[in-house]
Amino acid sequence: MPKRLTLAVSQSHTLATTSTTLSALTSTAHEAARQGVHLLLFPEAYLGGYPRTCNFGAVVGSRSEGGREQFLQYYHNAIDLGDTPRGAGDDWVERRLEIAKGKEYRGDGTREELEKTAKETGVFLVVGVTGSERLIWAQGSPSTLKAIKTTIAGVEITLAAAICWENYMPLLRYSLYSQNVNLYLAPTADAKDSWLPLMRTIACESRAYVLSANQCVQRRHLPSWIRGAPSKEAPSGQASTENGRVALNHSSDVTKEDDTHEIWDLPSDQGQMPQTPQPLAVAGVPGVPSPSPLRISSDAQTPSPLKQRSNRRKSSNLMPIPDNHFLALPGEPTVDDSEEKKEDPESEPPTKDISKDDEIVCRGGSCIVGPSGDVICGPLWDTEDGGLLIARDIDFEDCERGRLDLDVAGSYSRNDAFELRVAGLDLNPPP
């Protein structure tokens, strides 16, 4: 029996308040349901917010009053799912924890709101400490690395998640591989070009489908307490659809003529899909601005940095490719420094000024990767409120097929020579 699902990631950014963000999440989930999505992943810290660029007034040996005020604002935006500091595990899942007198639930109601949305849409929602985040976030319990087995639309899934730079930790990754995962979730805040190769490596190692979701954020959409300016976020129900897009992709095993990436514009009102979506024309690879050193640029009226630079190179450096695009080949000699400094209005057209508010402080890069390391969908760069990246007709039997070649926690594990133990975590696959 075929084991096929439709998976999606949402490149959404946190809004001004938890309530408006939850409202946007609900709108996104309903749109995913209309698109036939079975499981939807949101970026790291989507609820509560990722305080990018904020230092909380902290330097070695000192904290400022302004930083403490920022921390207070961030603390107030944090969500409370009703768990315990150590992690209550199954007691939390089965709602066996004590509830305060006069209340109907633990926490602030966020868990109940998410469960309500999941029940209404039928979409399995996944809302997921490294670097300087340790200043404000505590380390989680190893028990939270336990894989979960569930059945979605008749397909048995073993899923697990590693957040952001946890994915750079080989032993942590192996602890998940050991639990026989076939769906690996990697919500992140890392928008560097090195992220996609990491996701492809994880897919190859695990022989699992890998979903990664990140936020794309302009400086204007950072919280007002970070920017020091009044918030300009749109009210609930509107902000989630600003510049919203839906990118669709069919799996590689389908050979219909229309099996291509597309990006659809959504109208700005209420996040409803148009009856006749209009595909956008995207330079280079459809829907995928390339992060590769071999950069692809469209011959548009406003020159890209590549186009400006190429005008100062020999014409032989550019290789024409279809649709009036060019491929810039690396390693060719550039002009000397004296020529670089010359001002030529024809060869160096003025670039469009970008205001500080328009600056992109996180580029996104959400993607979906198959169990052989092939990129199925994405990465989606520099697209704020990018909507949904959807991979349709995903065959989970490809995970099992791939283990003929490589099974790092099985036939390739060399468990006669190597052993991994994790305190507080059972590495056996879930029953």
Side-chain angles (χ1 to χ4, degrees), residues 149-209:
K149 179 175 284 188
T150 188
T151 300
I152 302 175
V155 179
E156 191 173 86
I157 300 296
T158 302
L159 62 88
I163 299 175
C164 204
W165 281 9
E166 289 178 343
N167 291 283
Y168 282 115
M169 302 169 65
L171 295 181
L172 187 147
R173 297 203 307 263
Y174 191 79
S175 72
L176 301 183
Y177 303 162
S178 298
Q179 300 176 66
N180 201 30
V181 298
N182 58 5
L183 181 57
Y184 188 110
L185 307 174
T188 188
D190 189 336
K192 295 191 294 296
D193 290 348
S194 58
W195 187 255
L196 179 62
L198 175 63
M199 296 298 99
R200 299 186 70 178
T201 297
I202 291 174
C204 285
E205 289 180 340
S206 64
R207 296 307 196 205
Y209 284 97

Side-chain angles (χ1 to χ4, degrees), residues 11 42-45 50 52 130-131 133 137 162-169 186-199 202 211-217 291 360-367 379-382:
Q11 186 158 294
F42 286 89
E44 174 186 6
Y50 188 92
R52 191 172 293 277
T130 55
E133 292 96 326
W137 294 346
I163 299 175
C164 204
W165 281 9
E166 289 178 343
N167 291 283
Y168 282 115
M169 302 169 65
T188 188
D190 189 336
K192 295 191 294 296
D193 290 348
S194 58
W195 187 255
L196 179 62
L198 175 63
M199 296 298 99
I202 291 174
L211 275 60
S212 184
N214 192 7
Q215 303 187 39
C216 180
V217 186
I360 294 179
V361 296
C362 183
R363 297 182 57 210
S366 303
C367 61
L380 186 60
W381 297 106
D382 302 330

Side-chain angles (χ1 to χ4, degrees), residues 262-318:
E262 299 174 359
I263 295 184
W264 288 358
D265 266 348
L266 297 182
S268 59
D269 56 331
Q270 304 304 319
Q272 299 295 322
M273 287 286 294
Q275 293 182 356
T276 307
Q278 300 297 320
L280 297 178
V282 182
V285 181
V288 187
S290 172
S292 166
L294 299 178
R295 300 183 64 84
I296 297 175
S297 173
S298 175
D299 191 11
Q301 292 182 355
T302 302
S304 69
L306 169 63
K307 185 66 175 176
Q308 296 174 31
R309 184 177 180 86
S310 66
N311 284 331
R312 300 195 298 275
R313 293 175 175 262
K314 297 180 179 179
S315 60
S316 60
N317 291 357
L318 294 180

Side-chain angles (χ1 to χ4, degrees), residues 42 64 66 71 79 128 132 179 203 217 226 248 269 285 289 298 337 342 369:
F42 286 89
S64 70
F71 182 77
I79 62 173
S132 59
Q179 300 176 66
V217 186
I226 293 180
L248 303 181
D269 56 331
V285 181
S298 175
D337 291 342
K342 293 180 181 179
V369 183

Side-chain angles (χ1 to χ4, degrees), residues 67 198 408 421:
L198 175 63
V408 297
R421 289 178 292 177

Side-chain angles (χ1 to χ4, degrees), residues 226-243:
I226 293 180
R227 294 182 290 109
S231 174
K232 296 181 181 180
E233 294 284 359
S236 172
Q238 297 179 11
S240 63
T241 61
E242 178 185 357
N243 297 325

